[in-house]
Amino acid sequence: MEYVLSLAPLFIKMAIVVGILLLLPLPLTWLERKIAAHIQQRPGPMRVGWHGLLQPLADAIKLLTKEDHIPAQADRMLFAIAPVVALVPPFLVFVAIPFGEPVQIFGTTVTLSLADLNVGLLFILAASGIGVFGTILAGWASNSKYAVLGSLRSIAQMISYEIPMGFSVIGVVMLANSMQLSQIVAAQEGLWNIVVQPIGFFVFFVAGLAEAQRIPFDLPEAEGDLGAGYHTEYSGIRFSLFMLAEYLVLVFLAFLNVLLFFGGWLGGPAFLPPFLWLFIKVGFFIWVFMWLRFTFPRYRYDQLMTIGWKVLLPLSLLNILVSGFLML
Amino acid sequence: MARTGVKQSSWIGRVFFADLLAGLRLTLGYMMSKTVTHHYPDHEKWVPYQRHRGHHFMNTNEAGEVNCVACGLCSKICPCNCITVIPFENDQGDRRPKVFDIDLARCLYCGLCEDACPADAIKLGQEYEVSTTNRATLKVHLEDLIAAPRKSEDGGDIKPAKLDSAGSQHSILRPESDAGRDWWSRVRRD
């Protein structure tokens, strides 16, 4: 019994995190459409609910009631599991993300994370790397030219950008002497990493955009030239699982940017609880991602590879070198 | 806000992505600017300029008689043959239309009938909400044309309006006041 009771907080936290993550894409789609609209001097969705706030719900109902279509020659099993494979890693990543320092609730200390792993950063990078399998399987199983092209692009892109992304955080790890995310945040007390690691942040930010497959690096799903890329053949609920995964990757990248380079929950005004301050920063980064999306055109495929291998990779190596010298 | 001049040759600008930043600055400005979309069926309605070619109407003289002399020029020039004119001689011995029908389903609102008319009779006005679910109502007769509203004086404004879903007809908007808003001033032109 005592064993079960000791597990209870964990399960409660898990339920909260999973619930929030499942619901989060609803406001995010609304936000994305609103930001797109206002950049283009339109009001965006206005008619369903106050300023279109219920529009995502209407969209969700539409997606759920659509025909679940599987192409004739598709590999049915892979086709069915691909969206799930794409969806699991973003959830997995949130296991290791801390949302704040431990707090006192009803006299017991509750840590604001599911598991503050001491190899947290490594785990996050590894888990997010699995996400590409969903894309590969989806493209392969669809038996469609566009989907295969999209997934081929996505494999190349993921491999190219995972390397600079991994290198760019090494500077942060060196500064904190730890891969535990709470330690990394604690090491930024007084001075955020963005000040000492601007190049690292730049590389991480750009590689993160590419990992999330967002404009200007959204080649795997380039609407204009590939139909919709790897999820061309998906419809209804399976398609919405891909969209869900995409938004969750966006959120987790915003979290990582804040935790690694912008001091996590540190440095907020005194009246704000630290985790709210963290969420404000994360919200800011999500807004920046969307702002970028509706500003920039898409890079050409060779430009994408050039940026990855000839710019970001040397920059991240240089960053490791320079921060190593400075720390000595 | 003027576009920030980014010189292609300036390597400092290229290293710090001055062109990308200029683009971001521009879109940020747009994000903060007001929207120019008309909230058409819900809150406001655009009254077109007087030159707009919308609904048809028939002018009458001081005595209340139609100006039309049933010469049939409009039906001849009409590129889609949507005007039917049948003349008759009234009590004063004037030539007047017995039938003057316009098939709005075929009309392309080119305004050639207006140009061809020698008697200043058939005109196009500023009403544009003529959609219906019944094709038969798209055939307008002489009485409808005489009863139709004339050209409105206040063209070019956006008027506050409401969606009237209670009436038998679909979504008729009725402007509530004369105060329009100058929506052109909101448009960013850079």
Side-chain angles (χ1 to χ4, degrees):
Chain A
M1 191 61 203
E2 242 167 57
Y3 181 65
V4 174
L5 270 183
S6 68
L7 280 180
L10 185 67
F11 277 109
I12 292 170
K13 280 189 288 187
M14 222 150 69
I16 292 173
V17 169
V18 169
I20 289 178
L21 288 184
L22 280 175
L23 288 178
L24 207 53
L26 293 180
L28 284 183
T29 48
W30 179 83
L31 192 68
E32 182 138 43
R33 291 176 68 166
K34 276 292 184 192
I35 288 174
H38 280 275
I39 284 180
Q40 296 156 4
Q41 292 197 300
R42 309 180 277 120
M46 287 294 280
R47 307 204 60 177
V48 192
W50 185 80
H51 278 244
L53 262 176
L54 296 179
Q55 185 71 44
L57 274 184
D59 290 348
I61 292 169
K62 186 202 76 172
L63 278 170
L64 290 177
T65 51
K66 276 207 163 181
E67 184 193 355
D68 180 20
H69 180 253
I70 299 182
Q73 298 292 314
D75 186 328
R76 296 183 75 90
M77 196 190 78
L78 286 187
F79 192 85
I81 64 170
V84 184
V85 173
L87 189 60
V88 167
F91 276 97
L92 211 55
V93 158
F94 277 93
V95 168
I97 285 183
F99 300 100
E101 277 155 8
V103 286
Q104 298 282 333
I105 301 176
F106 305 126
T108 49
T109 312
V110 179
T111 52
L112 287 183
S113 63
L114 289 179
D116 200 7
L117 305 176
N118 50 9
V119 288
L121 194 51
L122 190 66
F123 172 79
I124 283 175
L125 289 179
S128 73
I130 303 173
V132 71
F133 279 106
T135 314
I136 297 172
L137 291 182
W140 178 252
S142 296
N143 187 36
S144 155
K145 293 182 204 70
Y146 289 129
V148 161
L149 279 173
S151 71
L152 282 179
R153 285 181 175 191
S154 130
I155 299 162
Q157 179 175 331
M158 291 289 197
I159 291 172
S160 308
Y161 280 83
E162 216 132 85
I163 298 164
M165 194 175 179
F167 281 159
S168 64
V169 296
I170 288 181
V172 175
V173 175
M174 282 155 75
L175 283 174
N177 278 324
S178 168
M179 278 200 152
Q180 199 171 0
L181 280 168
S182 55
Q183 293 279 326
I184 290 176
V185 172
Q188 296 178 62
E189 183 80 62
L191 190 62
W192 292 355
N193 273 340
I194 176 70
V195 183
V196 275
Q197 293 275 331
I199 300 174
F201 168 70
F202 172 75
V203 173
F204 185 81
F205 186 80
V206 176
L209 278 179
E211 282 284 298
Q213 297 168 14
R214 287 185 72 79
I215 282 177
F217 305 107
D218 67 333
L219 286 137
E221 47 182 299
E223 299 108 46
D225 41 313
L226 279 180
Y230 63 89
H231 53 55
T232 304
E233 304 293 340
Y234 280 86
S235 62
I237 179 72
R238 295 185 209 276
F239 172 75
S240 50
L241 287 185
F242 276 119
M243 294 312 285
L244 199 67
E246 214 159 277
Y247 276 110
L248 290 186
V249 171
L250 181 77
V251 174
F252 118 72
L253 276 169
F255 261 107
L256 270 196
N257 271 308
V258 171
L259 290 175
L260 296 182
F261 295 99
F262 282 83
W265 51 83
L266 300 176
F271 58 88
L272 267 182
F275 71 93
L276 270 185
W277 177 240
L278 175 71
F279 291 161
I280 289 173
K281 287 180 182 171
V282 169
F284 172 77
F285 266 93
I286 290 173
W287 176 73
V288 168
F289 285 141
M290 292 179 176
W291 175 22
L292 289 173
R293 168 165 180 188
F294 294 104
T295 301
F296 296 140
R298 183 180 302 129
Y299 277 111
R300 220 169 48 218
Y301 191 67
D302 60 314
Q303 291 172 331
L304 176 89
M305 287 297 143
T306 310
I307 292 170
W309 291 103
K310 293 188 188 168
V311 179
L312 292 188
L313 187 61
L315 261 185
S316 57
L317 288 173
L318 188 77
N319 185 44
I320 296 173
L321 210 66
V322 170
S323 28
F325 268 117
L326 289 184
M327 284 180 67
L328 282 176
Chain B
M1 191 177 76
R3 283 208 180 95
T4 29
V6 181
K7 268 200 262 171
Q8 284 296 314
S9 56
S10 151
W11 66 271
I12 298 176
R14 293 183 73 174
V15 166
F16 290 102
F17 299 100
D19 44 353
L20 297 187
L21 291 180
L24 284 173
R25 216 175 105 194
L26 186 73
T27 47
L28 184 69
Y30 272 103
M31 210 188 305
M32 299 307 166
S33 72
K34 283 184 170 154
T35 61
V36 294
T37 309
H38 307 169
H39 293 274
Y40 166 46
D42 297 328
H43 302 300
E44 50 194 20
K45 177 180 172 172
W46 160 251
V47 182
Y49 295 103
Q50 290 213 327
R51 60 174 181 264
H52 183 86
R53 299 194 300 264
H55 75 290
H56 305 74
F57 64 89
M58 180 72 83
N59 271 334
T60 51
N61 59 19
E62 293 82 27
E65 278 195 316
V66 284
N67 281 357
C68 179
V69 292
C71 61
L73 281 176
C74 49
S75 77
K76 289 213 172 53
I77 204 165
C78 181
C80 29
N81 270 339
C82 66
I83 308 181
T84 314
V85 188
I86 300 176
F88 82 111
E89 193 179 314
N90 70 359
D91 303 341
Q92 288 89 40
D94 293 331
R95 187 183 156 108
R96 291 284 178 243
K98 191 168 96 187
V99 173
F100 195 105
D101 287 353
I102 298 177
D103 189 357
L104 293 184
R106 298 178 64 174
C107 179
L108 58 82
Y109 298 93
C110 63
L112 283 178
C113 48
E114 194 178 21
D115 291 350
C117 185
D120 195 28
I122 183 75
K123 289 283 174 198
L124 297 184
Q126 287 136 291
E127 304 262 317
Y128 47 85
E129 289 157 344
V130 288
S131 61
T132 172
T133 50
N134 183 3
R135 203 186 298 163
T137 60
L138 285 175
K139 192 111 176 169
V140 288
H141 309 291
L142 187 57
E143 317 82 81
D144 309 325
L145 291 171
I146 295 170
R150 303 299 189 253
K151 277 196 195 287
S152 148
E153 286 300 315
D154 44 359
D157 267 351
I158 294 177
K159 296 290 174 65
K162 268 219 167 65
L163 185 67
D164 181 12
S165 50
S168 57
Q169 273 177 306
H170 281 251
S171 56
I172 295 291
L173 289 157
R174 45 187 161 75
E176 279 169 341
S177 73
D178 282 342
R181 79 170 160 88
D182 182 15
W183 66 284
W184 282 106
S185 66
R186 288 186 175 188
V187 181
R188 283 173 53 120
R189 297 187 193 81
D190 57 342

